[in-house]
């Protein structure tokens, strides 16, 4: 890797599936980083906290609690977690409760004078930090970064520091495993976000129901046809009013679009009675906190039999699978149950056909927390041996998609597996397909 | 790098300062990626667009225009830019105008069956993409990524593909250079954000001035002392009303805190007449667009002579340096001018002393656009030879900091260097220190 080619020993390693057996609850307790590090034979972990990423860096946010403190988290196994921060951020840093190390300790100007090449200077800066703080051996790397500068730094660092082995984990890594288990405070916040998210959806339903059905349209109080954009605006306003934000937008899709799971919906499209309308919202606490994720499918006024049947199948799958949840069970079991259920009712599934465009075409859910997709997988494609452990928060979202027939259906709640092993929906919202505005005589 | 140790040739390179001479305007025209690629001898560039990062991935957003399309940008030199996207995002992808490649083209399930190790499967998936699309030679990597998975993928990829050299640029890279030069549409948007940001600050000033000075406090219309939190709430509301958002918060700091450039300010602190209040706001278009960045320093009712003198020095530096701007001139020249100016008036500077805590302790400004800090540097510490070229948008923000004396002053506008070489402030807001609420008899 060195330009002079003198080193041949591999200086970094890559963990793909670091554990053969499923994790237990004890493994993934929030603060049990030492145990997770020991299992992966990690001597230290480094979480990058570059400026300007804030809530897009959940690994780092997990440690600094959403405060704006660009810097670096370093934890050696068996020792307290250190936060390396600019002296400019001293005030904020003190609020984290972490062991503080001011970056003033290393004189960047001296380093820059000694190493005129900027990359070499940056490598030397990091080398001094690692040396002075005793970071050596197998060091795991985490956080959200800029691809080029990070790769440049790490590749050089691995070449230049004897006894340093950079360990890059693909997934189920130390921090995502720690984040997977929510403690009581985190769950209480997520419950509140769930209630607020339901309030946002209720506002949308109430808004639609203040209109009236007029043949093929739904007219608002001013007589103009209601559109998807009208519903979206009402919901965005309520999201802000509830102290939430929605960095990745939302899905309000109707008819054929509802059969394309990621179509965001066309704001100009008028609402149509009897069509499937999928509303999928995934807001989080404003300023970058915990997410909620829920979906309901509605039909205004009435549902054609084909849509009602698909809805019944999805709701049936939802009720069947959530009634069967058991703490410690493999996620794969539930994805298979849902595939069995749908296949028995004549729907194709991603387990049977791939690529697939119609039927049950995705996985049952995903982990949820500081990111809308966290590291708990229900995939039919990849079986990592994931299990649902106490403390897990995840989505349950069976769906059926038939764009060629002009509809799709999805029902989604966020679920929590409590420490005592019981399961709780964090999404207190009814699951009724048909909503009824006024009808004019 | 291979586990079997059979390869010794370096498979990736790192560019620190890829160009010895300053870039010219022609070099950095928005769409002149081919020229920039040729200068760095890059055969292709790959911009990672992982899910869930959205506006935190400005390199990728630059291509997809803020649309939610997780995927990959690939551009070979001299060929159109390709967007690799999930078939689920087909609708959004069509709106980008880029050459579309559906990721359905590669059968992930087959790959996963053939390569049970998940990392190997991911490497194989990417290997097939690169092979099928003819991505080889020197390939630059860009975008915002998760540190571990990205490093794991790239390190393996560099080992396993013959003829592939991963090129990691530290800074002044192809895309940041392209982004640096704003075209007419981008500048028009940035002008509008500037006007709206000024409107937000005006609301704060108006709000303060509806209060009245009562001895050592400023009382609001209800008689309660106004606090920093009150001002922040008013500003946050106006930011939303203007169609802006502020992902990294804002600074409203008073007294000693104003002397600490990154102190966010204490919401519980009552406003005090005669104290320095630094308000630094950096909102962007809602949903992840262009930023503005401005700062004003205020004193309510009156300014003590020491604060007024520091303010005069900062304003003098601001006016001196902005009057001297010339297209094509090195940024370092202006940082030096400001250091000269302050040193002649008895203030210490970061050029003379490092680390430094009082005086002029930072650089004059930074590039601005889809990120609040873009790749144009005025640093005293590192001279990269940056020049101010037509199309550049950047901040000008001289300041003086004296926390030991209980104050700090900063004045900041966002500036634009037009194609004809003239300079324009995008921050139409007066620069007056003292603001006057009513005084009660």
């Amino acid at each position: 890797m060195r330009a002079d080619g003198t080193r041949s020993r591999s200086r970094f390693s890559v963990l793909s599936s670091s554990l053969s057996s499923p994790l237990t609850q004890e493994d993934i307790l929030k603060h049990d980083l030492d145990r997770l590090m020991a299992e992966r034979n990690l001597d230290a972990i480094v979480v990058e906290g570059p400026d300007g990423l804030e809530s897009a860096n959940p690994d780092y946010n997990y440690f600094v609690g959403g405060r704006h403190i660009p810097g670096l988290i370093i934890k050696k196994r068996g020792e307290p977690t250190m936060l390396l921060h600019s002296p400019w951020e001293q005030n904020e840093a003190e609020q984290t409760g972490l062991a503080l190390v001011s970056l003033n300790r290393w004189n960047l100007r001296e380093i820059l004078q000694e190493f005129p090449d900027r990359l070499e200077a940056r490598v030397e800066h990091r080398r001094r930090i690692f040396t002075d703080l005793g970071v050596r051996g197998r060091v795991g790397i985490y956080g959200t970064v800029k691809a080029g500068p990070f790769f440049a730094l790490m590749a050089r660092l691995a070449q230049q520091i004897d006894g340093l082995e950079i360990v890059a984990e693909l997934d189920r890594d130390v921090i995502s495993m720690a984040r997977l288990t929510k403690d009581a405070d985190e769950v209480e916040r997520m419950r509140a976000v769930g209630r607020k998210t339901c309030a946002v959806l209720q506002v949308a339903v109430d808004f639609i129901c203040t209109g009236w059905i007029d043949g093929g349209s739904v007219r608002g109080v001013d007589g103009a046809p209601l559109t998807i954009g009208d519903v979206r605006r009402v919901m965005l306003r309520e999201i802000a009013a509830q102290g939430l934000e929605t960095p990745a937008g939302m899905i309000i899709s109707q008819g054929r679009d509802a059969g394309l799971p990621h179509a965001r919906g066309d704001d100009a499209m008028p609402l149509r009675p009897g069509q499937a309308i999928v509303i999928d919202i995934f807001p989080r606490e404003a300023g970058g906190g915990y997410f909620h994720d829920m979906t309901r499918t509605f039909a205004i006024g009435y549902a054609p039999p084909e849509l009602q049947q698909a809805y019944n199948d999805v709701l049936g799958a939802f009720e069947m699978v959530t009634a069967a949840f058991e703490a410690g069970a493999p996620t794969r079991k539930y994805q298979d149950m849902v595939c069995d259920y749908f296949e028995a009712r004549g729907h194709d599934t991603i387990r049977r056909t791939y690529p697939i465009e119609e039927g049950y075409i995705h996985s049952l859910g995903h982990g949820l927390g500081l990111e809308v997709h966290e590291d708990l997988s229900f995939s039919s494609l990849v079986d990592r041996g994931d299990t649902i452990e106490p403390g897990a928060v995840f989505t349950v979202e069976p769906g059926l998609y038939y764009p060629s027939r002009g509809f799709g259906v999805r029902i989604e709640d966020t679920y929590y597996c409590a420490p005592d092993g019981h399961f709780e929906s964090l999404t207190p919202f009814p699951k009724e397909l048909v909503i009824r505005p006024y009808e004019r005589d």
Side-chain angles (χ1 to χ4, degrees), chain A:
Chain A
M1 288 171 51
R2 258 195 171 169
D4 61 11
T6 51
R7 281 181 197 270
S8 62
R9 185 177 165 283
S10 171
R11 285 287 172 187
F12 51 82
S13 36
V14 165
L15 299 183
S16 176
S17 184
S18 36
L19 298 175
S20 52
S21 59
L23 297 169
T24 65
Q25 188 204 358
E26 209 176 8
D27 294 326
I28 53 180
L29 279 174
K30 183 175 177 183
H31 298 292
D32 203 8
L33 284 170
D34 286 317
R35 172 189 288 266
L36 291 162
M37 289 169 68
E39 290 200 349
R40 286 156 177 79
N41 190 24
L42 289 173
D43 298 298
I45 58 175
V46 176
V47 189
E48 306 281 333
D51 194 17
L53 291 174
E54 276 86 46
S55 63
N57 192 352
D59 282 351
Y60 190 75
N61 256 359
Y62 184 68
F63 290 97
V64 300
R67 294 176 186 85
H68 179 83
I69 314 171
L72 207 58
I73 292 286
I74 295 183
K75 177 178 159 47
K76 296 193 285 179
R77 201 161 83 211
E79 298 190 17
T81 304
M82 291 180 277
L83 170 60
L84 282 67
H85 64 91
S86 154
W88 289 10
E89 259 78 38
Q90 180 76 29
N91 289 354
E92 296 253 348
E94 281 167 4
Q95 295 166 36
T96 63
L98 301 172
L100 299 190
V101 179
S102 169
L103 284 164
N104 255 1
R105 181 166 162 184
W106 297 276
N107 190 313
L108 191 56
R109 188 169 72 167
E110 274 178 22
I111 295 172
L112 284 159
Q113 282 164 352
E114 200 177 335
F115 296 83
D117 180 275
R118 293 195 308 289
L119 176 61
E120 291 305 331
R122 207 177 285 200
V123 170
E124 174 63 14
H125 185 236
R126 185 62 71 91
R127 194 193 64 73
R128 290 187 191 181
I129 290 173
F130 280 15
T131 304
D132 293 353
L133 299 179
V135 176
R136 63 178 75 86
R138 287 170 53 82
V139 177
I141 52 175
Y142 311 89
T144 307
V145 297
K146 303 261 168 182
F150 179 74
F151 193 83
L153 175 64
M154 284 298 143
R156 281 284 173 94
L157 214 56
Q159 291 170 331
Q160 297 196 356
I161 305 187
D162 278 325
L164 174 68
E165 186 181 1
I166 302 292
V167 180
E169 297 190 73
L170 180 67
D171 53 16
R172 287 169 52 122
D173 61 76
V174 166
I175 296 175
S176 73
M177 287 299 102
R179 284 171 50 201
L180 212 55
T181 303
K182 273 69 178 178
D183 66 21
D185 289 346
E186 291 175 288
V187 171
E188 197 44 49
R189 285 172 66 177
M190 293 191 79
R191 275 196 196 94
V193 180
R195 288 190 298 268
K196 291 174 176 183
T197 304
C198 291
V200 170
L201 188 57
Q202 189 60 52
V203 165
V205 172
D206 292 347
F207 173 73
I208 293 169
C209 291
T210 59
W212 75 88
I213 294 177
D214 179 20
S217 339
V218 182
R219 297 192 181 274
V221 286
D222 61 356
L226 294 181
T227 64
I228 284 178
D230 293 330
V231 179
R232 197 185 309 268
R233 274 186 291 279
V234 163
M235 293 181 75
L236 285 173
R237 206 184 306 147
E238 187 63 19
I239 283 170
Q242 292 283 351
L244 304 176
E245 64 187 6
T246 181
M250 61 175 72
I251 292 172
I252 312 177
S253 56
Q254 179 179 254
R256 178 177 177 274
D257 285 351
L260 306 169
H262 278 199
R264 298 274 142 163
D266 174 2
D267 277 356
M269 185 186 278
L271 300 181
R272 301 278 180 215
Q275 295 228 349
I277 300 172
V278 167
I279 304 186
D280 185 351
I281 50 177
F282 27 89
R284 68 176 173 197
E285 296 165 301
Y290 287 91
F291 277 92
H292 193 78
D293 194 357
M294 72 179 292
T295 307
R296 289 294 182 270
T297 303
F298 300 110
I300 302 175
Y302 71 98
E306 189 181 39
L307 172 58
Q308 184 69 57
Q309 184 57 53
Y311 189 88
N312 294 349
D313 289 349
V314 172
L315 184 57
F318 185 97
E319 290 176 343
M320 178 272 300
V321 78
T322 53
F325 281 151
E326 283 181 296
T331 55
R332 180 60 185 260
K333 169 180 168 186
Y334 302 105
Q335 173 73 359
D336 278 341
M337 282 176 63
V338 170
C339 288
D340 288 343
Y341 188 93
F342 282 138
E343 286 170 15
R345 281 153 185 80
H347 304 288
D348 200 4
T349 69
I350 190 172
R351 182 179 63 178
R352 200 163 61 184
T353 306
Y354 183 88
I356 179 172
E357 293 190 357
E358 302 221 322
Y360 177 56
I361 66 178
H362 53 61
S363 64
L364 183 61
H366 52 81
L368 185 80
L370 291 171
E371 286 173 288
V372 72
H373 292 123
E374 290 197 349
D375 204 349
L376 180 68
S377 165
F378 287 77
S379 175
S380 278
L381 295 182
V382 186
D383 186 2
R384 310 189 305 180
D386 287 7
T387 55
I388 306 177
E389 297 298 330
V393 176
F394 59 97
T395 67
V396 184
E397 46 181 313
L400 289 170
Y401 305 90
Y402 292 102
S404 68
R405 304 184 210 165
F407 70 86
V409 172
R410 183 165 64 256
I411 297 173
E412 176 184 28
D413 278 9
T414 295
Y415 264 75
Y416 165 54
C417 176
D420 67 3
H422 91 271
F423 285 79
E424 171 189 347
S425 169
L426 306 184
T427 314
F429 198 93
K431 298 184 182 70
E432 282 168 26
L433 174 61
V434 176
I435 56 176
R436 298 183 195 282
Y438 302 108
E439 301 235 11
R440 278 206 160 175
D441 298 324

